[in-house]
Amino acid sequence: MAPALSRRALVAAMLTGTAARAADLPITLPRSATWDMRSTAGHRHRILLGWPKAPAPPGGYPALLLLDGHTSFPIATALARQQEARGAQSLTEPAVLVGLTYPEEAAPSGDGVDGRSRDYTLPAAGAPAGTGGADAFLDFVEQLLLPDIAARLPLDRDRLALFGHSYGGLCALHAFFTRPALFRATIAASPSIWWGNGAVLAEESRFAGALPPGTARRRLLITVGSREQRSAEEIAALPPARQERARMSNMVGRAGDLAARLSGLGPEGPEVAFVNFPGEDHGSVIAPAIGRAVRFALAR
C-alpha cells in the first residue's frame, strides 16, 4: 500500500496550499496489501488482502472472501480486527480477509458491461450481452487467486467463506449450488434471485434433487433488508415502466422463501439461517449484513 504522509508533512502540505494533493493519497490499513491480477480471459481484478496479528493455527488461517471488495473489505476488516482485539472474549477466530474488486471500481469494459455485472451473473436467456460470467470468475478464484494467496499466507482450504451482496449475493448462491467443495460457509446478502427470470432457482432445484456429499457440513446465511421490497401501494405509485421490475424483484419474499425451502431439506441438507434487518434498504443493509457475515463465517 502507498505510504501515508507524516503529520509534519501533512501540515506542511496544508500550509503551502497542496492539501488537495495530500488528500488524494490513499488511506492505508495495517497488515494489508493490494495487487492486481488477470484472469485467463485477460480481465483485471484488484485483490485486497488483510491478515490478523495472531499466528496461523496448525491447519492455516480460515479466510473470508468478499465480493465488491472496495465497499465490503474495509467494513469487514474493521469489524474482524475489533473482535480480534478482544482476545479470548472474541466471538470470531483470527482470519484472512480477501476483497475482490476492479482497478477502476467496476468501470465499464470495451463492451460497455462493468466487471461485477460480467462476473457476478449467471448465463440466462435474454440476458444482456457481456453478462453471465460467474463460472469464469469462480474459475479465476479457485484456480488462480486462492493458490496465489496460499503462497503468501497459510490457508485452511477447508474453512473458506464467501460473502456477496446484490449481484454478489447471486454469485454466492451460484457458487453454493454448483461448487459444493469450494466454500464451507456462504453469505448471500440481498441476492438478486430475480436475475434472468430466476435462473438460479433452476440450480437450486438440481441441488435439492441430488444433494452433494458433505452438504450437511455446509452453512448458508441469507440476509435482506425489510425495506428492499415495496408494498402494493408503493408499486402502484411508480411510473408504469418500473412497476413490473418492482414486482419481479420481490427481494424479501424470494430470499425468505429460498431460505425456508433449503431449511426443509432435512438432516442431509445444509445449515441455513435467514435474517431480515428491519428498517434497512438495499444500500443501508450492506453494513449490518457484513457484520453478521463476519460472525457467521468466522465463529469460534
Side-chain angles (χ1 to χ4, degrees):
M1 306 282 281
L5 285 181
S6 69
R7 183 177 179 183
R8 178 177 295 179
L10 181 58
V11 171
M14 294 174 68
L15 292 175
T16 57
T18 58
R21 289 200 301 273
D24 288 339
L25 290 175
I27 297 171
T28 61
L29 292 171
R31 302 187 310 281
S32 65
T34 182
W35 68 95
D36 291 353
M37 296 181 67
R38 286 190 182 272
S39 69
T40 55
H43 299 309
R44 293 177 63 198
H45 299 272
R46 179 151 293 170
I47 311 305
L48 313 173
L49 179 67
W51 56 92
K53 287 182 179 179
Y61 292 113
L64 172 59
L65 280 65
L66 300 128
L67 305 185
D68 288 317
H70 52 283
T71 298
S72 57
F73 178 80
I75 299 173
T77 299
L79 295 173
R81 291 182 177 179
Q82 185 181 56
Q83 281 292 322
E84 186 183 8
R86 294 177 59 81
Q89 295 181 325
S90 172
L91 299 173
T92 62
E93 294 190 38
V96 168
L97 301 178
V98 184
L100 292 96
T101 184
Y102 303 89
E104 297 81 23
E105 294 191 359
S109 58
D111 57 10
V113 176
D114 61 49
R116 68 190 304 273
S117 296
R118 178 193 67 225
D119 292 337
Y120 298 171
T121 56
L122 286 57
T131 62
D135 282 314
F137 173 69
L138 291 172
D139 284 344
F140 163 76
V141 170
E142 187 170 7
Q143 299 168 17
L144 298 179
L145 175 61
L146 288 174
D148 186 279
I149 294 173
R152 301 167 187 259
L153 294 166
L155 288 184
D156 184 347
R157 290 292 293 264
D158 192 47
R159 295 200 58 199
L160 302 180
L162 176 66
F163 168 87
H165 168 261
S166 193
Y167 276 7
L170 175 67
C171 183
L173 288 177
H174 176 66
F176 181 83
F177 291 136
T178 64
R179 305 201 180 209
L182 187 51
F183 298 106
R184 172 76 70 87
T186 302
I187 303 93
S190 309
S192 300
I193 297 172
W194 53 266
W195 168 264
N197 293 316
V200 74
L201 299 180
E203 297 181 343
E204 177 209 353
S205 180
R206 290 191 290 270
F207 171 85
L211 292 175
T215 296
R217 297 177 61 244
R218 301 177 66 208
R219 307 172 68 234
L220 174 66
L221 170 63
I222 300 174
T223 71
V224 73
S226 67
R227 297 186 63 183
E228 292 193 81
Q229 184 167 314
R230 291 182 171 91
S231 66
E233 293 77 12
E234 290 172 325
I235 292 176
L238 292 172
R242 295 179 57 193
Q243 290 183 9
E244 182 58 30
R245 171 66 178 271
R247 293 190 188 94
M248 179 183 66
S249 64
N250 188 20
M251 186 72 74
V252 176
R254 285 180 182 268
D257 290 347
L258 175 61
R261 290 193 300 272
L262 294 173
S263 295
L265 292 177
E268 300 302 315
E271 175 189 337
V272 180
F274 175 70
V275 179
N276 185 342
F277 292 102
E280 306 293 352
D281 65 19
H282 196 63
S284 67
V285 78
I286 295 173
I290 294 172
R292 190 62 64 93
V294 168
R295 183 171 177 181
F296 183 83
L298 306 175
R300 288 187 181 275

